């Protein structure tokens, strides 16, 4: 069974030879190919070479298109911060308030800034790994997208204290969000990972998220022509998990390392895939055996219920992570499957 079959079967609740193992390793591809990160995140051929090296070295069950939300911020007129040891990030938003955000023209996915780089990288990866390894693309959640346009602090103030203005901004940026999501799917992405930064309990009270932002997610998700995985973006999703089943297009939910896998499955029910919940920042400082044991612990808790994919909890795994630590995740899945078969 190849990675495509393994992941798709798991997402659909069908038998698989083992639990799929997923890892975000965009910048790590640059480490393997000796490519500086500015080149990696601007040159499609360089990015694809990095992902090819990752597949040849480790063989994870998912390939991720460039995970770089700073490209969206700069497409609206913001500025990117570049680093030598991690993926680029937003340095400065385009505007500072809702009125200015509403006056901005919407970026064109095929023409604006570095968005064409992400689309072309997706096309090349989808062609290379067609029906062998699924290629997913990450997108910011529709409710956090305005934070990339006007800054998170200004956006939070708008949501909390000026609900009419927040609705107008969401409608304006939502048009771009749907166009961008569908452009990635048209480029060949098998699905999208939606990292909704307004959903975690540490960011927004559950009641407020459900009242003011969840309706916008329903509207925008309904416009997308492909499957979606809802991602925690680094926080706890526990309080809102039971509101996610039934969202248009959502086939799975990735929970963070602070969420409980048993409780997450209970609240999600059996109809959605569950991804998570290894803590990723410790990958570079732990031993391979520690990573393997943590991975096995997740598998023992979550795999018996089915529709589970082993994954870490955040964005890029640190570039300083030893290769043996990454192999330990895969080894845990193989060992768990062998143990489950021998117990039959």
């Amino acid at each position: 069974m190849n990675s495509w079959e393994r992941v798709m079967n798991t997402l659909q609740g069908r038998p698989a030879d083992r639990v799929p193992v997923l890892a975000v390793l965009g910048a790590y591809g640059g480490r393997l190919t000796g490519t500086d990160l500015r080149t990696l995140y601007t040159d499609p051929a360089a990015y694809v070479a990095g992902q090819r090296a990752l597949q040849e070295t480790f063989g994870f069950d998912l390939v991720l298109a460039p995970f770089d939300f700073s490209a969206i911020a700069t497409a609206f007129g913001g500025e990117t911060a570049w680093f030598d040891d991690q993926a680029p990030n937003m340095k400065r938003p385009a505007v500072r308030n809702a009125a200015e955000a509403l006056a901005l023209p919407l970026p064109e996915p095929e023409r604006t800034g570095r968005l064409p780089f992400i689309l072309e990288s997706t096309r090349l990866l989808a062609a290379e790994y067609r029906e062998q390894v699924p290629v997913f693309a990450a997108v910011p959640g529709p409710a956090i997208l305005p934070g990339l346009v006007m800054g998170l602090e200004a956006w939070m103030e708008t949501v909390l204290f000026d609900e009419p203005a927040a609705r107008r901004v969401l409608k304006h940026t939502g048009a771009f969000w749907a166009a961008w999501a569908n452009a990635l799917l048209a480029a060949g992405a098998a699905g999208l990972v939606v990292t909704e930064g307004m959903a975690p309990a540490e960011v927004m009270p559950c009641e407020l998220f459900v009242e003011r932002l969840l309706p916008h997610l329903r509207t925008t998700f309904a416009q997308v022509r492909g499957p979606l995985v809802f991602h925690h973006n680094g926080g706890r999703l526990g309080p809102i998990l039971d509101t996610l089943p039934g969202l248009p297009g959502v086939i799975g939910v990735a929970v963070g390392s602070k969420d409980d896998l048993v409780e997450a499955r209970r609240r999600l029910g059996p109809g959605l895939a569950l991804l998570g919940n290894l803590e990723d920042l410790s990958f570079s400082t732990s031993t391979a055996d520690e990573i393997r044991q943590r991975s096995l612990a997740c598998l023992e808790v979550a795999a018996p219920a089915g529709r589970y994919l082993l994954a870490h909890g955040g964005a890029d795994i640190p570039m300083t992570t030893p290769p043996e630590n990454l192999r330990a995740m895969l080894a845990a899945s193989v060992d768990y499957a062998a143990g489950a078969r021998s117990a039959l």
Side-chain angles (χ1 to χ4, degrees), residues 32-58:
L32 294 183
T33 58
T35 305
D36 70 274
L37 297 191
R38 187 183 284 264
T39 300
L40 191 77
Y41 286 96
T42 56
D43 181 350
Y47 186 84
V48 171
Q51 293 303 298
R52 185 183 302 121
L54 287 164
Q55 277 298 306
E56 293 170 353
T57 303
F58 302 112

Side-chain angles (χ1 to χ4, degrees), residues 35-94:
T35 305
D36 70 274
L37 297 191
R38 187 183 284 264
T39 300
L40 191 77
Y41 286 96
T42 56
D43 181 350
Y47 186 84
V48 171
Q51 293 303 298
R52 185 183 302 121
L54 287 164
Q55 277 298 306
E56 293 170 353
T57 303
F58 302 112
F60 283 101
D61 293 308
L62 189 79
V63 171
L64 195 66
F67 188 171
D68 175 14
F69 292 168
S70 74
I72 296 175
T74 55
F76 275 93
E79 188 177 349
T80 295
W82 295 94
F83 306 95
D84 294 330
D85 58 353
Q86 66 182 63
N89 207 336
M90 182 179 72
K91 181 177 182 179
R92 176 188 57 79

Side-chain angles (χ1 to χ4, degrees), residues 95-308:
V95 296
R96 293 294 184 180
N97 57 60
E100 292 176 350
L102 290 168
L104 287 174
L106 297 179
E108 299 179 53
E110 295 281 0
R111 299 181 61 184
T112 308
R114 286 186 290 116
L115 299 182
F117 151 74
I118 297 178
L119 291 179
E120 181 60 15
S121 298
T122 304
R123 291 188 189 99
L124 293 173
L125 290 168
E128 180 153 347
Y129 292 106
R130 180 178 177 84
E131 296 186 359
Q132 296 299 312
V133 186
V135 175
F136 271 60
V139 295
I144 194 62
L145 175 57
L148 293 174
V149 178
M150 54 190 285
L152 183 57
E153 183 177 350
W155 174 233
M156 287 289 294
E157 290 181 359
T158 304
V159 172
L160 293 173
F161 304 116
D162 193 347
E163 188 178 356
R167 286 198 299 267
R168 291 193 296 271
V169 171
L170 287 170
K171 183 177 180 180
H172 182 61
T173 59
F176 165 77
W177 189 91
W180 178 235
N182 285 319
L184 289 163
L185 292 165
L192 304 176
V193 179
V194 182
T195 64
E196 184 46 78
M198 297 294 280
E202 294 87 346
V203 176
M204 180 72 63
C206 175
E207 298 79 6
L208 200 59
F209 177 82
V210 170
E211 174 191 343
R212 299 192 182 183
L213 300 176
L214 192 61
H216 178 63
L217 268 61
R218 289 197 185 96
T219 299
T220 50
F221 285 1
Q223 300 173 53
V224 177
R225 297 185 289 272
L228 308 173
V229 173
F230 194 94
H231 191 280
H232 58 89
N233 200 49
R236 291 181 299 113
L237 288 183
I240 68 157
L241 284 174
D242 54 6
T243 71
L244 301 180
L247 280 178
V250 173
I251 60 169
V253 177
V255 296
S257 58
K258 297 178 182 178
D259 282 305
D260 181 88
L261 287 172
V262 172
E263 180 66 8
R265 172 52 72 196
R266 185 188 71 79
R267 299 192 70 168
L268 287 175
L272 293 178
L274 177 63
L275 298 80
N277 65 339
L278 290 171
E279 199 281 312
D280 57 303
L281 294 179
S282 64
F283 265 78
S284 62
T285 57
S286 300
T287 66
D289 186 63
E290 287 171 337
I291 298 297
R292 179 180 173 276
Q293 292 301 325
R294 292 171 197 160
S295 299
L296 283 171
C298 290
L299 290 162
E300 289 164 358
V301 168
R307 289 195 176 188
Y308 176 66

